[in-house]
Structures are given as structure tokens and as C-alpha cells.
Amino acid sequence: MAEINLEQKFQEKIDNELRIEPKDWMPEKYRQTLIRQISQHAHSEIIGMLPEGNWITRAPSLRRKAVLLAKVQDEAGHGLYLYSAAETLGISRDKMYSQLHSGEAKYSSIFNYPTITWADMGAIGWLVDGAAIMNQVPLCRASYGPYSRAMVRVCKEESFHQRQGYEIMLTLSKGSSVQKKMAQDALNRWWWPSIMMFGPTDDASPNSIQSMKWKIKRFSNDELRQKFVDVTVEQAKILGLTIPDKDLKWNEERGHYDFGEINWDEFWNVVKGNGPCNKERLETRKKAWEEGEWVREAAQAHAEKRKAKKEAA
Ligand code: BYC
């Protein structure tokens, strides 16, 4: 069948809300866009374990430690679902790892900021996971089957993560004046990076139009950012904390909050590898990869031995 016909049929399928599966014909650019987005998402989950992992040994109680540990383990699981989904598009896991380790592949800007106090665990859960949910719930309806199915599981766990963070913020903000100050300080430092997570504004987002046509993305970066701001401002009121934006104001006509100018120079600087923790994050990840070599080798040897045993039986 001529390529043009195949492409038409492919788009019709998408327009009719049918899922594309690994063995279906797909345009090469669709495949590449998915590999890019899914692998970056997987890398974000794995790198995203580092800022929180930093606090597991210092969690203020056994309960907090158990919950944080579970959350960080969930993130490893999310990375694995997503790497598996990307593999169905014909890229190997080793290739994805090498793209991450060489700095060729991106991961979310948000994980290049430091976690200075325990309140940062609250702010990350509340804001970062809150932003992740806003962005990821629509991905449960992404046109590529393995991705959309992986996202259903990811989102169920993300909602627990968001509540975990909000509960920490609630406890701190209703606590002593020092605790309240810590919560406000964490909000001050995480607010702007969190709203940057949604990516560049629509007019500066080169991939959005095509990704929306292919129903990989269902909402634009700015639409999701606005939804996040509208929901989160109300949550901050319950906490009694102040969003660090003097231009934040309810706009009756639009039915949304207006908010201040985002520092896009800061965003691009972080994306390009020059944020406060980019180098540290990548080095930690590479070290873990190198030190884990014997584990991978042992697992491989074990699998081969079992296979040989089965074949001999
Ligand atoms: N950081 O054309 P655009 C999580 C890049 S949550 C770094 O709008 P697209 C977690 C973008 O890749 C975080 N780079 O791109 C939460 C593109 O560059 P390339 C991960 C960014 O793909 C809690 C360029 O800027 N979530 O994992 O249409 C705990 C132009 O952008 C960022 C996901 O990955 C950024 N923030 O839209 C643990 C969700 N934003 O690739 C873990 C899935 C943009 O052309 N991904 N860039 O060189 C998406 O929904 C979309 O990929 C994005 C960007 C909305 C992020």
C-alpha cells in the first residue's frame, strides 16, 4: 500500500480514538516522537528518585521513612513500565541508558534542584507530583497502546504521592512557627520550577502541534500549566501559605488565575545541563550504573543457567 494511504488510515484510526499497537504501521516520526517522550519520561522517574532518596535516611519518623521509601520505589517501577513501553517501539534499554548517561537524552528540569530541608519532601509531593498528575492523567488516553496502559498504573500511584506530600505540608504548616517557615521556604523554592515542568509556552513548543494531532498529547503545555495553577492556589490557601508570585490574581473574565512571567532563561539553562544539580545527578546515576554491573551480570548468568537447565530437561 502506498505510504500516503497507510498514513491516512493511521490518522483515521487515531481520529476514531483507536489505539495504535506495536505491530501496527506507524509513521517513522510518530515512532521517534514516542521514543523521545517515553524515554525522557522514564529517565525523569529514575533521576527523580535521587532528590528524595537523599532524605530516606533522615525522615523524621519511622512512618515518614516507610512512606517515602515506598514512594521512591514506586518511581523505580514507573521507570521500568516506561522503559518497557519504549522498547516496544524498537529501541533497546541499553541504548536508552547510554543516551541518558551521555547527556544526549533529556529528563525533567525539576530534578536538577536541591532538596535542602525535610519540607522539600512535602513540596515535591504536593507540587511536583501534583504537576506530574496534571500532565500524566491525559496521557492515559495517549494514542499509543503500551504507553497509555503504562500511564494508568503510573497515575494511580502518583495520586498517593501527591497526597503524601500535601500531608507533610499540612502537618508543617499547622506546626510550630519554625515548621511553618520551613514549609513556606520550600514553597518559595519549588513553585517556579514546578510550573516550568509543563515545558515552554505553546508558541515556543516545537513538538506540541504534531503531538496533539497524533493524540499523544491531549492538552497543550499552557493549558495544563493553567489548570495546575488554578487547583494549586486553592490548596495553598488551605495550608495558609503564600504562593511567591506578586502578579497572581483571580481573573473573573477568564475564570482563571493570572500569574507572573516565568523565567525562561532559567528553564533553558537547566534543560541545557547548567542547573544547580545537573552534574551531580548524572554522575550519581552513572556511578550507580557502573557499580551495578556485577548485579546485571549475575542476573544474566542465572537466567542463562536456568534456560540451559530447562532445555536439557
Ligand atoms: N524538562 O516541544 P516541547 C516525573 C523539552 S514528572 C526538560 O513542548 P514536548 C516525576 C522537550 O523535551 C516529569 N526538558 O516538548 C514526578 C523538548 O526538547 P526535545 C516527567 C523539557 O515533548 C515526580 C523541548 O523542551 N514527565 O517523572 O511536546 C516524581 C521543547 O518542548 C521540559 C514527563 O516526561 C522539562 N520540564 O512536551 C518522580 C511526561 N519541558 O525533546 C518523577 C511526559 C520540555 O525536542 N512528557 N522540555 O529535545 C510530556 O508530557 C512532554 O514531553 C512535555 C514536553 C510536556 C514534558
Side-chain angles (χ1 to χ4, degrees):
M1 214 184 291
E3 180 109 336
I4 193 132
N5 242 339
L6 285 168
E7 190 143 358
Q8 240 170 27
K9 282 220 150 74
F10 165 85
Q11 188 63 48
E12 269 167 30
K13 228 171 157 179
I14 289 180
D15 295 343
N16 290 323
E17 294 295 328
L18 293 172
R19 293 277 178 276
I20 305 299
E21 295 298 336
K23 289 194 173 133
D24 294 343
W25 185 90
M26 60 186 85
E28 192 47 32
K29 277 196 85 180
Y30 177 81
R31 182 190 303 278
Q32 290 309 329
T33 295
L34 280 168
I35 290 178
R36 177 183 65 79
Q37 179 165 325
I38 301 173
S39 66
Q40 287 180 4
H41 191 172
H43 300 327
S44 303
E45 296 284 352
I46 300 302
I47 297 275
M49 295 166 74
L50 300 175
E52 292 174 305
N54 184 33
W55 276 92
I56 291 172
T57 54
R58 290 175 288 162
S61 70
L62 183 59
R63 175 174 167 262
R64 294 287 186 208
K65 190 193 286 272
V67 174
L68 186 61
L69 194 58
K71 178 179 192 279
V72 174
Q73 282 177 339
D74 283 350
E75 280 149 12
H78 297 175
L80 297 182
Y81 310 152
L82 290 161
Y83 283 127
S84 298
E87 280 175 312
T88 65
L89 292 154
I91 184 167
S92 72
R93 206 171 284 213
D94 275 350
K95 177 96 200 263
M96 289 186 270
Y97 289 146
S98 81
Q99 286 174 341
L100 172 66
H101 298 155
S102 70
E104 187 190 335
K106 293 189 170 76
Y107 59 86
S108 183
S109 49
I110 194 74
F111 301 116
N112 293 304
Y113 291 86
T115 43
I116 301 167
T117 73
W118 170 251
D120 290 12
M121 295 305 98
I124 288 182
W126 171 37
L127 301 172
V128 176
D129 289 278
I133 292 172
M134 201 55 91
N135 164 271
Q136 291 171 17
V137 167
L139 294 173
C140 298
R141 293 188 294 123
S143 57
Y144 187 57
Y147 189 28
S148 66
R149 290 189 287 273
M151 290 315 300
V152 172
R153 293 186 65 170
V154 171
C155 285
K156 283 192 178 145
E157 291 171 351
E158 290 293 4
S159 88
F160 147 70
H161 295 174
Q162 196 270 353
R163 279 152 192 251
Q164 167 266 358
Y166 194 71
E167 200 230 334
I168 294 176
M169 292 305 270
L170 205 54
T171 307
L172 291 176
S173 61
K174 305 287 174 232
S176 67
S177 64
V178 176
Q179 286 172 315
K180 185 162 185 192
K181 230 170 139 189
M182 262 170 73
Q184 181 64 54
D185 170 63
L187 170 57
N188 293 348
R189 286 180 290 105
W190 288 94
W191 174 253
W192 290 102
S194 297
I195 65 172
M196 289 176 194
M197 273 175 78
F198 294 92
T201 51
D202 294 349
D203 54 356
S205 161
N207 302 299
S208 280
I209 292 179
Q210 184 61 68
S211 288
M212 286 177 77
K213 192 168 169 228
W214 280 331
K215 296 191 182 171
I216 297 172
K217 284 168 99 163
R218 297 272 176 167
F219 297 96
S220 74
N221 299 356
D222 284 332
E223 283 169 341
L224 291 171
R225 189 173 6 252
Q226 182 70 63
K227 278 186 187 213
F228 173 75
V229 170
D230 290 347
V231 166
T232 312
V233 171
E234 300 306 320
Q235 295 169 346
K237 283 185 194 162
I238 297 169
L239 296 174
L241 299 178
T242 309
I243 305 256
D245 178 357
K246 60 179 176 27
D247 297 319
L248 189 73
K249 201 168 160 241
W250 179 251
N251 183 326
E252 195 62 51
E253 234 169 79
R254 290 200 314 121
H256 291 292
Y257 278 95
D258 288 336
F259 53 92
E261 186 66 32
I262 291 173
N263 182 346
W264 291 112
D265 288 343
E266 175 183 326
F267 172 75
W268 289 116
N269 199 37
V270 174
V271 172
K272 283 183 192 137
N274 305 316
C277 299
N278 292 62
K279 287 183 184 66
E280 183 189 327
R281 298 283 184 250
L282 260 191
E283 268 159 31
T284 308
R285 190 57 228 141
K286 279 194 274 189
K287 188 164 171 270
W289 174 253
E290 282 154 19
E291 289 178 354
E293 193 177 359
W294 70 271
V295 180
R296 293 191 298 280
E297 277 175 9
Q300 185 69 28
H302 181 68
E304 278 162 20
K305 208 169 143 193
R306 278 182 67 142
K307 196 172 161 223
K309 233 182 174 174
K310 247 190 185 164
E311 279 167 4

